[in-house]
Amino acid sequence: MEVELKEMLNDLESLKRSLTDPSHHAPIDQLQLRVERLTSLASSGPVRRSKVKDMSAEVVDSNPYSRLMALQRMGIVENYERIRDFSVAIVGVGGVGSVAAEMLTRCGIGRLLLYDYDKVELANMNRLFFRPEQSGMTKTDAAVQTLSDINPDVVLESYTLNITTVQGFDTFMSSLKDKSFRPNKEGSGVDLVLSCVDNYEARMAVNQACNELNQTWMESGVSEDAVSGHIQLLIPGETACFACAPPLVVASGVDERTLKREGVCAASLPTTMGVVAGLLVQNTLKYLLNFGNVSPYLGYNSLKDFFPTMEMKPNPQCSNFACLERQKEFLLVKPARDAALKAKMEAEASSSVTECPLHLDNEWEISVVDDSEPDRIEAKSADALPEGLVRELPNADEFQKSPTEAADATIDDLEDLRKQLEALNS
Amino acid sequence: MEGWDPNTKSTLTQIPLLTTKAGPRDGAAWTQRLKEEYKALIAYTQMNKSNDNDWFRISADNPEGTRWTGKCWYVHNLLKYEFDLQFDIPVTYPATAPELELPELDGKTQKMYRGGKICLTVHFKPLWAKNCPRFGIAHALCLGLAPWLAAEIPILVDSGMVKHKDDAASSAES
Ligand SMILES: [Zn+2]
């Protein structure tokens, strides 16, 4: 466009020179001014920044990572640049997931995998991230469009699918297993899965996949009344899984009976969602870059500005088979791990009292036993929950297979049953 | 069973309960579960017909029995309103209930999530969780869809959001 405008200016100049009558010059001057204005508008348009090969700590205004690398200079993070090695999967690119994706993109995460089946709608505009002109696009496409502009260094993969369906789940699993980004990585192809979905069904599907893959993940949620939320770290076999006990949610403190649910499904606020996305990504950065304490569970009650915390052991009677397998594996490695951790802490204590435990090469900060640790409760125990937390659903009733039904003598052929229903349907 | 009307309660208790805890990724156990699903659906349909309260048709859309399609209808002011009904069996079934969809009503009511998934009452999910794995598709229709239609269709018709097919046809002709 700028080339076109420049040619136009030249044409106008030659036209002016070809005119002998100077009284015709004034309108041409006007036109030239307008073209010059357009030229400057065009050149101030969107500029795509080019990719950066290495993260530099140099403080110049053209370096997108200088303030992040300063974390390293200040001693908060030992090696910030490691962030480029990490892959994070974000399931659900809604009010929380899209903001989490933007935060990780701005932090220079290596690779993001995005999953959602929904489209952007004007009804989403009370939340952050998506823009009105993206209405009608899939959330995954719209997110890739914005995120690749913000930071072209991040490898973005988008999956437009519903993970709760059989087919969607298969694709979800194989995308998590794909190790082409970092072939020598242990375990799956991603470092962390973030669940940013808005329903129990999808959370259970993430839980199923992560239990099967032995994949650490973090769950996040905002209540349907938009005034509370939570984040939770789930390490298969080591912490309670999402199916070990009915999900924990933050009590809003509002009496259920006074809550008006007529005519609405759910409310949402950009504030609560932004806070939860911030808590989630902060926990993610601490987990990946190994600094501070990674929270096992952190609730947020916005009405009272109350942040309950807790920790939950897995349920040995969990209904999820893969969870029980992971629990068995964890019990085998636990004694050796505890001993190594203890030795490390003793060495740390004797070598220097002043040095903070920040530089410990300790992958699981949360298992360090100290007095400030939140109560670690049994997943399914009748213990009183920490103040401000409640169960979202009841436990399944005690269930026993009745022998009479097993010995059912009626038709037991699937095809016959299908035909019988079809006959009723016709 | 707090929060349910007596009619729904008595109907529910007559639908056969299921015993196999298996989802669509569980191979032979899923086939067993599918048989139980059919038995419950057959019993529920027969019961509705004999009570002169026939209100849905549903059948598996694929041999695996993971996708179901059909119709449901509701009579309001002596007129019958019929809608397409569809749902997938989630991978975590029966720990999680199927999400029932009425695609034609997508965007017409607040009591619906995007994609036409109906918004269930606060009572549904706790009761489903409590009764896992005994509740199946028939129970989801009885506890989820029937009360939803009874609550929402009159509002949708009275507000003009949903028109009877005869009205729609005649107004299209004129
Ligand atoms: Zn578990």
Side-chain angles (χ1 to χ4, degrees), chain A residues 353-401:
Chain A
V353 200
T354 49
E355 198 189 339
C356 62
L358 215 74
H359 303 295
L360 253 182
D361 185 22
N362 169 14
E363 210 182 334
W364 319 110
E365 287 277 354
I366 59 147
S367 56
V368 178
V369 181
D370 76 47
D371 294 338
S372 63
E373 198 178 329
D375 299 334
R376 195 165 151 89
I377 66 160
E378 303 283 341
K380 222 177 168 176
S381 76
D383 289 359
L385 289 171
E387 191 199 339
L389 296 176
V390 289
R391 295 269 180 222
E392 193 178 33
L393 294 169
N395 281 313
D397 285 345
E398 212 54 57
F399 169 67
Q400 266 144 14
K401 239 184 177 172

Side-chain angles (χ1 to χ4, degrees), chain B residues 116-131:
Chain B
K117 289 174 183 167
I118 65 167
C119 178
L120 298 161
T121 72
V122 286
H123 310 293
F124 180 86
K125 284 187 185 181
L127 194 63
W128 182 276
K130 237 172 121 58
N131 286 284

Side-chain angles (χ1 to χ4, degrees), chain A residues 329-348:
Chain A
E329 291 163 13
F330 179 68
L331 286 179
L332 291 179
V333 299
K334 193 173 184 292
R337 232 183 58 181
D338 285 352
L341 205 66
K342 199 174 162 220
K344 220 171 230 177
M345 280 177 75
E346 279 166 3
E348 183 76 19

Side-chain angles (χ1 to χ4, degrees), chain A residues 173 207-214 236-237 241 244 318-329, chain B residues 25:
Chain A
M173 288 277 282
N207 185 63
Q208 182 68 37
C210 290
N211 277 346
E212 287 181 23
L213 296 172
N214 197 9
C241 89
C244 274
C318 180
S319 62
N320 187 290
F321 181 73
C323 171
L324 299 180
E325 294 287 293
R326 298 295 89 79
Q327 289 187 43
K328 272 185 232 157
E329 291 163 13
Chain B
R25 291 168 73 245

